[in-house]
Amino acid sequence: MNPKILIIGACGQIGSELTQKLRAIHGADNVIASDINYGNLDVVNSGLFEILDAQDYSSMKICVEKYNIDTIYLMAAMLSATGEKYPMKAWDLNMDSLFNVLNLAKNKIINKIFWPSSIAVFGPTTPKENTPQYTVMEPTTVYGITKQVGERWCEYYHNKYNVDVRSIRYPGIISWKTLPGGGTTDYAVDIYHKALADNHYDCFLSEHTELPMMFMDDAIEATIKIMQAPPDAIKIRSSYNLAAISFTPEHVVKSIKSHLKDFTVSYEPDFRQEIADSWPKSIDDNHARKDWNWSHHYDLEAITNEMLTNLKSLANQNS
């Protein structure tokens, strides 16, 4: 029997692709998408859609009861770079939305939650190489603070109220289907767009800034895989480290130049450089690989090929 799923923040970068994948698996009628506006017409038009404010518990409860929802994927959040511009808005959105969903589960109105955390939970005092699952976490951004606090509340609600909440710490996510959403790792998406459009990119991080990254298809697969795992396989109820590959802007440029030899880049680090410098260079995700058989498929060359091929195809369709 298919679960009845509500995706909150379904028009965002990850939410939009997750919605389409879950609709393909469970059927469009079983996956209700929602967001604060009609931000992605592909999502809006491909199945049931509701306008929903993630900070409004009453509206969320009405929507859940209307569709008999048993599983929520909470994808609404204000990301790192945007959050630094609007710190209190970021705190309120990221925390209110999580408490609303956790309380729906605590009150037995829903059965299961997916809530994404991030490598932003780590900070400058965290070990940079192969950052372990259990380590020092002193985040320096509002986004990272909300995710770190959120992890603690997820574990608390599981231990105290037996809430089935599952989470992974996303690295930077790369996708050709949706535009970046205000994160520090956005350069790794934007650079492909600019390479094809302008043959040049002004990078807001320095060329040697190494960060953990992942192709969207791998991120979606991990999200679905952890939710499909039996409850006793999920040993960590705060959030799992998740990794695929790590690279620098310089690595991406070299990869793109193997396809577009005249591509050029200039490096003009801005406030996002300080954020990136506080994050890990690589992640140890052995717990996820062991507990629920996580594995990634895309390396940098495969990502570059996918990005350039599909963005070219989109440009040709729109011309």
Side-chain angles (χ1 to χ4, degrees):
M1 183 173 157
N2 281 309
K4 279 280 190 178
I5 295 168
L6 173 64
I7 302 175
I8 299 171
C11 292
Q13 186 192 21
I14 299 175
S16 57
E17 298 196 38
L18 178 64
T19 299
Q20 303 294 25
K21 187 68 175 179
L22 287 171
R23 282 175 171 167
I25 293 169
H26 299 293
D29 291 345
N30 293 310
V31 180
I32 292 80
S34 71
D35 213 307
I36 202 161
N37 55 41
Y38 298 105
N40 185 312
L41 291 180
D42 288 339
V43 168
V44 173
N45 295 329
S46 64
L48 297 165
F49 184 86
E50 292 278 342
I51 293 291
L52 188 62
D53 181 353
Q55 292 177 255
D56 185 342
Y57 179 84
S58 296
S59 297
M60 197 182 288
K61 183 171 180 281
I62 289 167
C63 184
V64 164
E65 290 173 340
K66 175 181 176 181
Y67 292 103
N68 198 26
I69 298 296
D70 55 58
T71 301
I72 289 181
Y73 289 74
L74 175 56
M75 310 308 292
M78 191 177 290
L79 302 183
S80 58
T82 309
E84 291 307 287
K85 296 175 183 175
Y86 310 104
M88 289 316 300
K89 283 185 179 178
W91 173 264
D92 290 343
L93 170 60
N94 295 358
M95 298 313 302
D96 290 351
S97 58
L98 175 59
F99 277 121
N100 286 343
V101 174
L102 287 172
N103 285 326
L104 284 170
K106 174 192 170 187
N107 296 330
K108 310 300 182 191
I109 299 168
I110 59 170
N111 297 321
K112 193 190 289 189
I113 297 165
F114 176 81
W115 174 78
S117 189
S118 163
I119 60 169
V121 296
F122 303 119
T125 54
T126 302
K128 297 281 190 197
E129 307 279 351
N130 286 321
T131 300
Q133 175 69 43
Y134 301 104
T135 187
V136 177
M137 297 201 298
E138 294 183 324
T140 55
T141 64
V142 178
Y143 178 63
I145 292 166
T146 63
K147 290 300 185 183
Q148 207 257 336
V149 172
E151 287 189 14
R152 305 271 47 86
W153 278 112
C154 286
E155 187 172 74
Y156 181 86
Y157 267 70
H158 174 73
N159 292 338
K160 191 87 172 175
Y161 308 118
N162 201 31
V163 168
D164 187 355
V165 57
R166 304 168 185 212
S167 179
I168 50 184
R169 293 170 181 153
Y170 285 128
I173 306 296
I174 303 171
S175 169
W176 57 270
K177 291 182 182 175
T178 47
L179 292 171
T184 300
T185 55
D186 283 354
Y187 89 87
V189 177
D190 200 30
I191 194 168
Y192 292 103
H193 288 267
K194 296 294 196 302
L196 289 171
D198 306 330
N199 215 25
H200 178 81
Y201 180 59
D202 296 319
C203 187
F204 57 75
L205 298 181
S206 76
E207 62 265 47
H208 303 305
T209 306
E210 184 177 4
L211 290 168
M213 307 293 291
M214 179 177 290
F215 192 54
M216 179 67 83
D217 291 23
D218 278 336
I220 298 298
E221 182 179 330
T223 304
I224 292 170
K225 194 159 195 167
I226 192 173
M227 290 298 278
Q228 289 177 337
D232 60 359
I234 309 302
K235 313 291 187 192
I236 295 168
R237 293 294 182 156
S238 52
S239 191
Y240 276 92
N241 274 4
L242 193 75
I245 56 175
S246 290
F247 56 71
T248 67
E250 192 173 52
H251 292 142
V252 185
V253 171
K254 183 179 178 183
S255 180
I256 291 173
K257 283 173 77 75
S258 69
H259 297 261
L260 304 169
K261 61 179 173 50
D262 296 327
F263 175 60
T264 59
V265 63
S266 61
Y267 296 98
E268 300 168 14
D270 65 12
F271 74 98
R272 287 166 285 195
Q273 184 66 51
E274 188 177 349
I275 297 173
D277 288 342
S278 74
W279 290 352
K281 295 181 178 181
S282 56
I283 300 287
D284 178 351
D285 64 351
N286 279 325
H287 286 275
R289 293 177 187 268
K290 182 180 82 211
D291 290 357
W292 41 277
N293 298 318
W294 155 246
S295 62
H296 70 280
H297 302 288
Y298 290 85
D299 61 13
L300 178 55
E301 294 312 311
I303 290 170
T304 295
N305 189 56
E306 286 283 324
M307 291 294 289
L308 293 178
T309 300
N310 286 292
L311 288 175
K312 276 182 197 170
S313 178
L314 273 182
N316 290 336
Q317 289 172 29
N318 296 330
S319 63

